[in-house]
């Protein structure tokens, strides 16, 4: 029985068992028969036969053991032998294991990211039925929902339940020594039930907590309870003054509940949200959730919600016209932006693994070739082909296993690094960690890799005919065949490397373009901070504006300050808004295709502080106060788009969301990038802050020296106006832009790192093949030199080999790159995926590296001494 | 010197192989034949016979096949392979040398 059938045997253990039982049963039967013939009765004969046979079960076991022992025995022998041989060739083992470990480790780390982000369900009960509700307009653009609408939906919907809304905002907490700011979330009563949140102390919200007239309660986070209130038991029932109103603590959430942000500290019933007006439908700013009721499907829910939205649109045409509803699985929504970049990353790292495997396969092949004699001897001594193959397989799997273990260790660090560096961008609840799934993936990958790497040497062993000792170097055709496989591998490596390099090059170039984009304002020496005044302390808009303006003036008096102003939404702060507008001097667009622009409110001095250029007219000044004529400043793109070649000064813009005021344009400012550096068409409108006050304000302060050194002085200036006013997000504008760039640099940096590693591997591959073939051809070179060839000619031979491989690889790789790089399109800015300059540059880089790798062995060929070479026989 | 177990094992293998030289047989038949030919002197324990049969089958010295027995029942028949015949010759030679050596020692020790 060959080892194949033995393997099959142990796999088909059941059949073996049955056969064995049959065989032994037959024996017993025959014995019984003989005893009956000898004169005994049936039962007596049977009993004796059984007894004579002895312990049937034991016999069965011992026979079974024979099968297992043989296989295990053979395996143990192969393992011992493999460990010995691998231990002898330490360089090979070390390089192979390390290469595989790096390739595998990186793959496992990225897989953990992919798994944690895209595959693993959210830490909420029944996550696939958790839906995000968003409002959509006729063009399909998504928007937040309105709380009032949500209540109608709750009343009218049959297919969804637990309708909840939430919005996050900073909350002022006063009543202690210093006013402070808490990260707050305003949520509806069913919010916690929907997400399956449990309380560690007290209770979460229940139905009725968000009704008018209900006692004001809040729920705190576990973290807040422990860090700020020392985990004291009397926290329950404590009175907190938030946004000027008293609340009672009804409960503390369990430690693992972190929603909507990992740093949300306090949850307050939605009606207390400062921007909320009961019954108001416009000005939507909440995120909505619901769960699909059992017995209904998501499609049914979507259809029902569309109907309900249509009903509301007919009922309230002013606010709800063209506002549909879209339901989307929450997990999908969370990962939407990240999915493509994470998958790209995974593709890149798989390439690296392929290159690593090709390298190790090459190494294994050359090792087998050098062990030719040994294999020949073993074959002569009676080792069958299957035995040799089995031992080879064990050896390669051993290397793969070692590589896998080391790779797992590397992946552990890699995963931690990934998780830490991307903590802000990853959605909350994503756990990127090494777990059973990624370990299983890693070992499967190692197994496949090991089998692949062992494939070529196995083919070589199989092709050896006969057990005779192979004469080294004599059989020219066979060595050429072997050489072809190895060269093919290297060509493949170079091709893969080129694709990877092309991707990295494009991403780097795109990032460089992005970093060079002028945001349109100055970023140096600018301090910013935000705050929100409590509405009950400053109920009238005029009071709010007076507060903000007084603060600005106090700050302007500080010695370290050059200029200061205030704005509603600071660029790159994550704040910002859009509005529809109409132009009275032309016909109204049909409903559903109204014009939209970004809108902001700026105090006098804003543009000057941020050094935004004035292109026409004037900026917002102190004369644009509440009693003066309503004016606005627009961006250059706005002016050029709607009044091309004309003067927009004096024209009017009607803003339906701002009491339908018609503002007069008094100035044109330079374009700025507000939230993304890639923003192509900044259509912006600035209204005077004094004419449209708000409780929220962002201060912008130009300092004479390091901005953060003025932070305390600025804080005190605010407190000099109101001692109980907390401020937050004290930082420089420069840091905001850098943070944005850092976030965008993640993918380019990683892919570049991978490509550098791939380049190294490919270079090693080229070097390996060339130096090996050079070593084997020493005799040939000696001959050539002896018959009159110059050392130069020999070197050219060697180099020519390398050049051919490189050119083939680059040609193949370029085709592959042109085919694959369009996948990068969504990540690129200002660079086309088939950018010829980038492709050319990386091709030249790769060619130079590969040529260098072939040059080094070529130099050795130069130094061949013909005498020693000929004697090398 | 080989271990006690190995000598016994080798001896049993030899007996089985020799028995099968006459022709294919099932396990019961092999045991019976050994018993008969040795004049009831050698009784092979079934607990040793079947493990041995399976072991030498794995080694490739015999191969097995399910057939209908003389009593019209399904039984596993073993027969000698070419390798097995070679092995039989080797084992017989070895056995001869072993017994000669033991005899010498007994005479002169």
């Amino acid at each position: 029985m060959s080892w194949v059938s033995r393997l099959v045997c142990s796999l088909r253990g059941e059949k073996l068992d049955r056969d064995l039982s049959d065989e032994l049963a037959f024996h017993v039967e025959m014995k019984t028969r003989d005893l009956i013939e000898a004169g005994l009765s049936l039962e007596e004969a049977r009993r004796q036969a059984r007894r004579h046979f002895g312990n049937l079960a034991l016999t069965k076991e011992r026979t079974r053991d024979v099968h297992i022992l043989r296989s295990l025995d053979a395996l143990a022998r192969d393992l011992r032998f493999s460990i010995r041989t691998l231990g002898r060739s330490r360089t090979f083992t070390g390089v192979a294991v390390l290469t595989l470990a790096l390739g595998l480790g990186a793959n496992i780390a990225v897989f953990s990211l992919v798994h944690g982000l895209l595959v693993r369900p959210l830490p909420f009960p029944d996550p696939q039925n958790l839906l995000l509700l968003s409002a959509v307009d006729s063009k399909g653009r998504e928007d937040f929902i309105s709380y009032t609408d949500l209540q109608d939906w709750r009343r009218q919907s049959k297919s969804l339940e637990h309708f909840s809304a939430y919005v996050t905002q900073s909350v002022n907490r006063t009543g202690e020594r210093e006013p402070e700011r808490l990260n707050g979330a305003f949520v509806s009563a069913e919010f916690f039930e929907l997400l399956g949140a449990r309380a560690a102390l007290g209770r979460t919200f229940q139905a009725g907590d968000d009704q008018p007239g209900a006692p004001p309660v809040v729920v705190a986070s576990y973290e807040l309870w422990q860090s700020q209130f020392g985990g004291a038991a009397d926290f329950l029932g404590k009175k907190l003054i938030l946004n000027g109103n008293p609340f009672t603590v009804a409960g503390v959430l369990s430690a693992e509940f972190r929603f909507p942000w990992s740093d949300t500290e306090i949850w307050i019933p939605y009606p207390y949200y400062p921007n909320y007006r009961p019954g108001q439908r416009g000005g939507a700013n909440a995120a909505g959730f619901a769960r699909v009721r059992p017995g209904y499907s998501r499609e049914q829910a979507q259809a029902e919600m569309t109907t309900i939205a249509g009903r509301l649109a007919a009922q309230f045409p002013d606010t709800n016209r063209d506002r549909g509803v879209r339901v989307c699985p929450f997990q999908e929504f969370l990962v939407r932006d990240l999915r493509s970049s994470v998958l790209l990353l995974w593709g890149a790292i798989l390439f690296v693994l392929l290159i690593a495997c090709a390298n190790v396969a090459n190494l294994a092949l050359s090792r087998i070739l050098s062990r030719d004699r040994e294999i020949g001897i073993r074959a002569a001594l009676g080792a069958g082909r299957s035995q040799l193959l089995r031992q080879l397989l064990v050896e390669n799997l051993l290397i793969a296993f070692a590589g896998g273990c080391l790779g797992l260790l590397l992946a552990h660090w890699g995963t931690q690094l990934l998780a830490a560096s991307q903590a802000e961008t990853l959605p909350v609840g994503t756990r990127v960690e090494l777990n059973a799934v990624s370990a299983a993936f890693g070992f499967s990958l190692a197994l496949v890799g090991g089998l692949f790497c062992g494939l070529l040497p196995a083919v070589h062993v199989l092709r050896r005919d006969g057990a005779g000792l192979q004469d080294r170097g004599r059989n020219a055709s066979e060595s050429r065949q072997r050489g072809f496989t190895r060269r093919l591998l290297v060509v493949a490596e170079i091709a893969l490397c080129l694709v990877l390099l092309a991707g990295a090059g494009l991403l780097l170039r795109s990032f460089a373009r992005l970093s060079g984009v002028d945001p349109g304002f100055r970023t140096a020496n600018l301090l910013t901070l935000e705050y929100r005044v409590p509405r009950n302390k400053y109920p009238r808009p005029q009071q709010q504006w007076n507060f903000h303006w007084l603060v600005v003036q106090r700050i302007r008096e500080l010695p370290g300050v050059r200029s200061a102003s205030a704005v509603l939404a600071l660029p790159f702060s994550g704040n910002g808004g859009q509005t529809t507008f109409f132009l009275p001097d032309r016909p109204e667009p049909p409903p559903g295709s109204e014009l939209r622009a970004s809108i902001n409110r700026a105090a006098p001095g804003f543009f000057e502080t941020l050094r935004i250029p004035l292109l026409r007219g004037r900026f917002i000044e102190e004369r644009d106060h509440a009693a003066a004529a309503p004016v606005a400043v627009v961006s250059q793109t706005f002016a050029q788009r709607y009044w091309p070649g004309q003067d927009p000064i004096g024209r009017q813009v009607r803003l339906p969301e701002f009491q339908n005021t018609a503002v007069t344009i008094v100035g044109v400012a330079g374009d700025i990038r507000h939230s993304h550096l890639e923003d192509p068409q900044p259509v912006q409108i600035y209204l005077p802050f004094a004419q449209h006050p708000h409780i929220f304000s962002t201060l912008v302060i130009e300092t004479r020296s390091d901005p953060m050194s003025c932070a305390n002085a600025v804080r005190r200036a605010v407190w000099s106006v109101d001692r109980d006013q907390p401020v937050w997000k004290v930082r420089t504008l420069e840091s905001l832009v850098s943070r944005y760039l850092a976030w965008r640099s993640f993918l380019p940096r990683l892919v570049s790192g991978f490509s550098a590693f791939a380049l190294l591997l490919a270079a090693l591959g080229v070097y390996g093949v060339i130096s090996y073939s050079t070593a084997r051809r020493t005799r040939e070179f000696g001959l050539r030199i002896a018959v009159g060839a110059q050392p130069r000619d020999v070197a050219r031979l060697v180099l020519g080999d390398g050049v051919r491989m490189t050119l083939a690889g680059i040609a193949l790789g370029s085709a592959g790159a042109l085919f694959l790089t369009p996948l990068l399109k969504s990540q690129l800015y200002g660079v086309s995926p088939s950018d010829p300059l980038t492709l050319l540059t990386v091709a030249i880089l790769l060619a130079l590296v590969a040529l260098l790798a072939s040059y080094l062995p070529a130099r050795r060929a130069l130094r061949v001494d013909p005498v020693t070479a000929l004697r090398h026989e | 010197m080989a271990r006690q177990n190995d000598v016994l094992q080798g001896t049993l293998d030899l007996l089985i192989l020799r028995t099968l030289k006459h022709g294919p047989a099932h396990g019961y038949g092999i045991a019976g034949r050994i018993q008969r030919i040795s004049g009831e002197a050698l009784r092979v324990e079934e607990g040793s016979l079947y493990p041995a049969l399976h072991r030498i089958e794995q080694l490739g010295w015999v191969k097995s096949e399910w057939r209908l027995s003389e009593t019209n029942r399904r039984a596993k028949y073993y027969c000698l392979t070419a390798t097995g015949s070679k092995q039989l010759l080797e084992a017989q030679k070895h056995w001869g040398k072993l017994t000669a050596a033991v005899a010498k020692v007994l005479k002169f020790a």
Side-chain angles (χ1 to χ4, degrees), chain A residues 88-118:
Chain A
R88 262 200 297 252
S89 40
R90 270 190 292 264
T91 336
F92 164 77
T93 316
V95 171
V97 170
L98 194 63
T99 314
L100 274 183
L102 283 170
L104 285 170
N107 261 284
I108 298 173
V110 174
F111 175 80
S112 306
L113 179 64
V114 172
H115 177 74
L117 186 69
L118 299 176

Short mmCIF file of all heavy atoms in Angstrom, two decimals, chain A residues 88-118:
data_model
loop_
_atom_site.label_atom_id
_atom_site.label_comp_id
_atom_site.label_asym_id
_atom_site.label_seq_id
_atom_site.Cartn_x
_atom_site.Cartn_y
_atom_site.Cartn_z
N ARG A 88 20.87 22.53 9.40
CA ARG A 88 22.21 22.59 8.79
C ARG A 88 22.32 23.78 7.86
O ARG A 88 23.35 24.45 7.81
CB ARG A 88 22.48 21.30 8.02
CG ARG A 88 23.31 20.31 8.80
CD ARG A 88 23.93 19.34 7.87
NE ARG A 88 22.88 18.58 7.18
CZ ARG A 88 22.61 17.31 7.43
NH1 ARG A 88 23.31 16.66 8.32
NH2 ARG A 88 21.64 16.71 6.79
N SER A 89 21.30 24.06 7.06
CA SER A 89 21.40 25.19 6.15
C SER A 89 20.70 26.37 6.79
O SER A 89 19.60 26.76 6.41
CB SER A 89 20.79 24.84 4.79
OG SER A 89 19.61 24.10 4.98
N ARG A 90 21.39 26.98 7.76
CA ARG A 90 20.75 28.01 8.57
C ARG A 90 20.39 29.25 7.76
O ARG A 90 19.39 29.90 8.02
CB ARG A 90 21.64 28.39 9.75
CG ARG A 90 21.38 27.53 10.98
CD ARG A 90 22.11 28.12 12.16
NE ARG A 90 23.55 27.98 12.00
CZ ARG A 90 24.25 26.99 12.53
NH1 ARG A 90 23.66 26.08 13.25
NH2 ARG A 90 25.55 26.92 12.34
N THR A 91 21.26 29.60 6.80
CA THR A 91 20.98 30.82 6.03
C THR A 91 19.67 30.67 5.27
O THR A 91 18.81 31.54 5.32
CB THR A 91 22.08 31.08 4.97
OG1 THR A 91 23.26 30.44 5.40
CG2 THR A 91 22.29 32.55 4.80
N PHE A 92 19.57 29.53 4.59
CA PHE A 92 18.35 29.31 3.81
C PHE A 92 17.12 29.36 4.71
O PHE A 92 16.15 30.06 4.43
CB PHE A 92 18.42 27.95 3.10
CG PHE A 92 17.10 27.48 2.60
CD1 PHE A 92 16.54 28.02 1.45
CD2 PHE A 92 16.38 26.51 3.27
CE1 PHE A 92 15.32 27.59 0.99
CE2 PHE A 92 15.15 26.07 2.82
CZ PHE A 92 14.62 26.62 1.67
N THR A 93 17.19 28.60 5.80
CA THR A 93 16.04 28.53 6.70
C THR A 93 15.71 29.91 7.23
O THR A 93 14.54 30.33 7.23
CB THR A 93 16.33 27.60 7.88
OG1 THR A 93 16.97 26.43 7.39
CG2 THR A 93 15.09 27.24 8.62
N GLY A 94 16.75 30.62 7.68
CA GLY A 94 16.52 31.95 8.25
C GLY A 94 15.87 32.89 7.25
O GLY A 94 14.86 33.53 7.57
N VAL A 95 16.45 32.93 6.05
CA VAL A 95 15.92 33.86 5.05
C VAL A 95 14.49 33.49 4.68
O VAL A 95 13.59 34.34 4.60
CB VAL A 95 16.82 33.87 3.79
CG1 VAL A 95 16.16 34.66 2.69
CG2 VAL A 95 18.16 34.46 4.13
N ALA A 96 14.28 32.17 4.46
CA ALA A 96 12.94 31.74 4.04
C ALA A 96 11.91 32.05 5.11
O ALA A 96 10.85 32.60 4.83
CB ALA A 96 12.96 30.25 3.73
N VAL A 97 12.23 31.70 6.35
CA VAL A 97 11.27 31.92 7.44
C VAL A 97 10.99 33.41 7.61
O VAL A 97 9.85 33.84 7.75
CB VAL A 97 11.77 31.31 8.75
CG1 VAL A 97 10.90 31.76 9.91
CG2 VAL A 97 11.77 29.80 8.67
N LEU A 98 12.04 34.21 7.57
CA LEU A 98 11.87 35.65 7.77
C LEU A 98 11.03 36.26 6.66
O LEU A 98 10.11 37.04 6.90
CB LEU A 98 13.24 36.31 7.83
CG LEU A 98 13.22 37.74 8.36
CD1 LEU A 98 12.71 37.74 9.79
CD2 LEU A 98 14.59 38.35 8.29
N THR A 99 11.36 35.88 5.41
CA THR A 99 10.60 36.43 4.29
C THR A 99 9.12 36.08 4.42
O THR A 99 8.25 36.94 4.31
CB THR A 99 11.11 35.86 2.96
OG1 THR A 99 12.53 35.92 2.97
CG2 THR A 99 10.57 36.63 1.79
N LEU A 100 8.86 34.80 4.68
CA LEU A 100 7.47 34.39 4.82
C LEU A 100 6.81 35.09 5.99
O LEU A 100 5.66 35.52 5.91
CB LEU A 100 7.39 32.88 5.00
CG LEU A 100 7.36 32.06 3.72
CD1 LEU A 100 7.20 30.60 4.06
CD2 LEU A 100 6.23 32.51 2.81
N ALA A 101 7.57 35.20 7.10
CA ALA A 101 6.99 35.82 8.31
C ALA A 101 6.58 37.25 8.03
O ALA A 101 5.48 37.67 8.43
CB ALA A 101 8.00 35.77 9.44
N LEU A 102 7.42 37.99 7.33
CA LEU A 102 7.08 39.38 7.04
C LEU A 102 5.85 39.47 6.15
O LEU A 102 4.92 40.23 6.41
CB LEU A 102 8.26 40.08 6.38
CG LEU A 102 9.38 40.46 7.35
CD1 LEU A 102 10.62 40.91 6.61
CD2 LEU A 102 8.91 41.56 8.27
N GLY A 103 5.87 38.64 5.10
CA GLY A 103 4.71 38.67 4.20
C GLY A 103 3.44 38.24 4.91
O GLY A 103 2.40 38.88 4.78
N LEU A 104 3.53 37.16 5.69
CA LEU A 104 2.36 36.66 6.38
C LEU A 104 1.90 37.63 7.46
O LEU A 104 0.71 37.89 7.61
CB LEU A 104 2.64 35.30 7.01
CG LEU A 104 2.69 34.12 6.04
CD1 LEU A 104 3.21 32.89 6.76
CD2 LEU A 104 1.30 33.85 5.50
N GLY A 105 2.85 38.14 8.24
CA GLY A 105 2.50 39.02 9.33
C GLY A 105 1.72 40.23 8.85
O GLY A 105 0.68 40.58 9.41
N ALA A 106 2.23 40.85 7.78
CA ALA A 106 1.53 42.02 7.27
C ALA A 106 0.13 41.65 6.80
O ALA A 106 -0.83 42.38 7.04
CB ALA A 106 2.34 42.62 6.11
N ASN A 107 0.02 40.48 6.17
CA ASN A 107 -1.29 40.06 5.69
C ASN A 107 -2.26 39.82 6.83
O ASN A 107 -3.43 40.18 6.76
CB ASN A 107 -1.16 38.78 4.86
CG ASN A 107 -1.16 39.08 3.39
OD1 ASN A 107 -2.19 39.35 2.82
ND2 ASN A 107 0.01 39.09 2.82
N ILE A 108 -1.79 39.19 7.88
CA ILE A 108 -2.66 38.90 9.01
C ILE A 108 -3.12 40.21 9.65
O ILE A 108 -4.29 40.36 10.01
CB ILE A 108 -1.96 38.02 10.06
CG1 ILE A 108 -1.59 36.68 9.43
CG2 ILE A 108 -2.85 37.81 11.25
CD1 ILE A 108 -0.76 35.81 10.34
N ALA A 109 -2.20 41.17 9.76
CA ALA A 109 -2.56 42.44 10.37
C ALA A 109 -3.64 43.15 9.56
O ALA A 109 -4.66 43.59 10.11
CB ALA A 109 -1.33 43.33 10.49
N VAL A 110 -3.43 43.22 8.26
CA VAL A 110 -4.43 43.90 7.43
C VAL A 110 -5.73 43.11 7.43
O VAL A 110 -6.82 43.69 7.43
CB VAL A 110 -3.91 44.09 5.99
CG1 VAL A 110 -4.98 44.66 5.10
CG2 VAL A 110 -2.71 45.00 5.99
N PHE A 111 -5.63 41.78 7.47
CA PHE A 111 -6.84 40.98 7.52
C PHE A 111 -7.62 41.28 8.78
O PHE A 111 -8.86 41.36 8.75
CB PHE A 111 -6.50 39.49 7.46
CG PHE A 111 -7.69 38.62 7.63
CD1 PHE A 111 -8.55 38.38 6.58
CD2 PHE A 111 -7.98 38.04 8.86
CE1 PHE A 111 -9.66 37.58 6.73
CE2 PHE A 111 -9.08 37.25 9.03
CZ PHE A 111 -9.94 37.01 7.97
N SER A 112 -6.92 41.44 9.90
CA SER A 112 -7.62 41.76 11.15
C SER A 112 -8.37 43.07 10.99
O SER A 112 -9.48 43.21 11.50
CB SER A 112 -6.63 41.91 12.30
OG SER A 112 -5.84 40.77 12.40
N LEU A 113 -7.76 44.00 10.28
CA LEU A 113 -8.42 45.28 10.04
C LEU A 113 -9.67 45.07 9.19
O LEU A 113 -10.76 45.57 9.50
CB LEU A 113 -7.46 46.23 9.33
CG LEU A 113 -8.00 47.62 8.97
CD1 LEU A 113 -8.34 48.38 10.23
CD2 LEU A 113 -6.98 48.39 8.16
N VAL A 114 -9.50 44.32 8.11
CA VAL A 114 -10.64 44.07 7.22
C VAL A 114 -11.75 43.35 7.98
O VAL A 114 -12.92 43.71 7.89
CB VAL A 114 -10.20 43.23 6.01
CG1 VAL A 114 -11.40 42.80 5.19
CG2 VAL A 114 -9.24 44.01 5.14
N HIS A 115 -11.35 42.36 8.74
CA HIS A 115 -12.33 41.56 9.48
C HIS A 115 -13.05 42.41 10.51
O HIS A 115 -14.27 42.41 10.61
CB HIS A 115 -11.64 40.39 10.14
CG HIS A 115 -12.54 39.56 10.97
ND1 HIS A 115 -13.48 38.70 10.46
CD2 HIS A 115 -12.66 39.46 12.31
CE1 HIS A 115 -14.12 38.11 11.44
NE2 HIS A 115 -13.64 38.55 12.58
N GLY A 116 -12.27 43.15 11.30
CA GLY A 116 -12.88 43.94 12.35
C GLY A 116 -13.78 45.02 11.80
O GLY A 116 -14.78 45.39 12.41
N LEU A 117 -13.44 45.51 10.63
CA LEU A 117 -14.18 46.63 10.08
C LEU A 117 -15.38 46.18 9.26
O LEU A 117 -16.48 46.69 9.41
CB LEU A 117 -13.24 47.46 9.21
CG LEU A 117 -13.82 48.76 8.67
CD1 LEU A 117 -14.03 49.71 9.80
CD2 LEU A 117 -12.89 49.36 7.64
N LEU A 118 -15.12 45.24 8.36
CA LEU A 118 -16.15 44.95 7.38
C LEU A 118 -16.97 43.71 7.69
O LEU A 118 -18.08 43.58 7.24
CB LEU A 118 -15.50 44.77 6.00
CG LEU A 118 -14.76 45.98 5.47
CD1 LEU A 118 -14.10 45.65 4.15
CD2 LEU A 118 -15.68 47.15 5.30
#
